[in-house]
Amino acid sequence: MKFFLKINLSKENSIPVVQQVLKLLDEEKHEYMLCCDDRLGDLVTRDRCAVSAHEGIRWCDVIITIGGDGTLLGVGQTAADYNKPVFGINTGHLGFLTAIEGNQLDLLKSISDNKSFTVKKHHFIQAKINDGPWYYCLNDVVISKNIYSNTVELLLQSNGNQIMGFAGDGVIIATSTGSTAYSLSVGGPIVDSDLQAMIISPVAPHSLNRTSIVMGADKHIKISASDRYNNKAYIVFDGAMHQEISETDIISVQVSEKYVSIYTLGNFGQFEKVDKKLKSR
């Protein structure tokens, strides 16, 4: 098999894990390329090519990410575009999306036998501002107040009908995959990642009866945000890219047909991961 390794070198224990992974791949006679990063140093040799993410993902059979969920999210859209599955190794904090921990690397030997791991489809949500381009998010889209604002006024409609209106710090529209991320921290429900759904979770609503809503894949959501002092709000895509929005902008959000395939260990499900990783917090 051919593997492309995308590594988050800001994690202190990533390099030792990379060294072990490369040794294992060599022993198993697999081909591989590494992400291009000057910090890889001696890990890059004549036989270990360092290439761009697009080049490596286009070439490989499987993408291996070494880091946390953010590292996996960073390759998600390109992996989906090239129909390449992602195998995550967690060297971060929680790692809900990753298949194994850094101390479970021996399990990587069985990746090609299709017995130890399950590959699951995780659908994106897509969002756009007015008639602009679609942005694809595996976890969530967040609309938040300006740092100088007290609150932002939000109006949400679905298929032409108002579903929610409130003042607060913002709103999260999460995928079922992203229901264990930011949405969970504001009291949103954990939704089975096998479901194609959107979870709408208000952030610090100035209201006594504003709770999360779970919407089906056939719903199209329209959102407007305004501020009494005419400050601009922000929209954030998967916690990485953000853009200012004004009160005249309309945000469209819906479940996408695009998906990324992600390895999970055996039948170790989403709810078991949540129980294991969060029960001590």
Side-chain angles (χ1 to χ4, degrees):
M1 294 181 72
K2 297 188 295 185
F3 296 92
F4 171 67
L5 278 66
K6 183 68 173 73
I7 307 156
N8 185 346
L9 290 169
S10 66
K11 306 294 184 184
E12 292 182 2
N13 56 337
S14 287
I15 289 294
V17 170
V18 174
Q19 292 171 330
Q20 294 177 63
V21 170
L22 295 183
K23 180 181 178 182
L24 187 150
L25 293 178
D26 284 333
E27 291 172 352
E28 297 294 314
K29 309 298 184 186
H30 293 301
E31 298 180 66
Y32 55 84
M33 291 185 180
L34 307 177
C35 60
C36 190
D37 195 309
D38 291 339
R39 293 173 294 174
L40 287 170
D42 294 339
L43 291 174
V44 178
T45 65
R46 182 177 300 177
D47 298 326
R48 296 171 177 172
C49 297
V51 297
S52 69
H54 277 273
E55 185 178 355
I57 292 171
R58 184 173 61 247
W59 168 83
C60 73
D61 297 313
V62 177
I63 304 157
I64 295 177
T65 62
I66 299 174
D69 284 347
T71 311
L72 195 153
L73 289 172
V75 302
Q77 186 172 336
T78 309
D81 290 340
Y82 288 106
N83 195 26
K84 302 298 175 68
V86 186
F87 185 99
I89 300 174
N90 185 38
T91 59
H93 185 44
L94 288 174
F96 285 118
L97 295 175
T98 53
I100 60 174
E101 301 295 317
N103 60 2
Q104 298 175 302
L105 295 181
D106 281 347
L107 293 170
L108 188 57
K109 294 179 182 179
S110 60
I111 189 173
S112 59
D113 65 15
N114 295 322
K115 294 179 181 178
S116 298
F117 297 96
T118 303
V119 181
K120 297 179 65 176
K121 295 179 180 179
H122 295 256
H123 279 262
F124 294 85
I125 52 175
Q126 56 189 64
K128 66 178 181 179
I129 304 169
N130 301 319
D131 294 322
W134 288 107
Y135 297 92
Y136 295 88
C137 302
L138 190 55
N139 261 357
D140 50 44
V141 174
V142 178
I143 298 172
S144 65
K145 67 175 186 176
N146 184 293
I147 190 172
Y148 302 110
S149 304
N150 291 319
T151 59
V152 61
E153 297 279 347
L154 291 155
L155 177 64
L156 290 83
Q157 296 179 311
S158 174
N159 297 12
N161 298 312
Q162 180 173 329
I163 57 172
M164 189 181 292
F166 67 95
D169 284 1
V171 67
I172 304 162
I173 302 93
T175 64
S176 52
T177 299
S179 67
T180 55
Y182 187 15
S183 177
L184 178 64
S185 73
V186 299
I190 299 171
V191 177
D192 190 334
S193 59
D194 288 337
L195 297 177
Q196 294 183 44
M198 292 177 287
I199 302 92
I200 303 172
S201 297
V203 181
H206 194 238
S207 173
L208 296 176
N209 61 351
R210 279 287 166 248
T211 59
S212 296
I213 297 175
V214 180
M215 308 288 289
D218 61 326
K219 301 298 190 295
H220 293 185
I221 299 171
K222 302 286 187 182
I223 307 168
S224 60
S226 61
D227 179 272
R228 71 182 67 180
Y229 302 111
N230 295 320
N231 291 315
K232 292 183 178 180
Y234 287 92
I235 182 168
V236 185
F237 305 97
D238 260 349
M241 186 177 67
H242 71 275
Q243 188 170 332
E244 284 188 341
I245 53 174
S246 70
E247 61 182 7
T248 60
D249 290 325
I250 300 296
I251 313 302
S252 303
V253 185
Q254 64 192 61
V255 174
S256 175
E257 293 183 359
K258 181 181 287 191
Y259 64 87
V260 61
S261 299
I262 301 175
Y263 280 83
T264 188
L265 180 60
N267 292 316
F268 192 63
Q270 174 190 22
F271 297 102
E272 292 172 277
K273 283 188 176 182
V274 170
D275 181 62
K276 179 181 180 181
K277 293 176 180 288
L278 295 182
K279 65 182 179 183
S280 61
R281 290 169 64 84

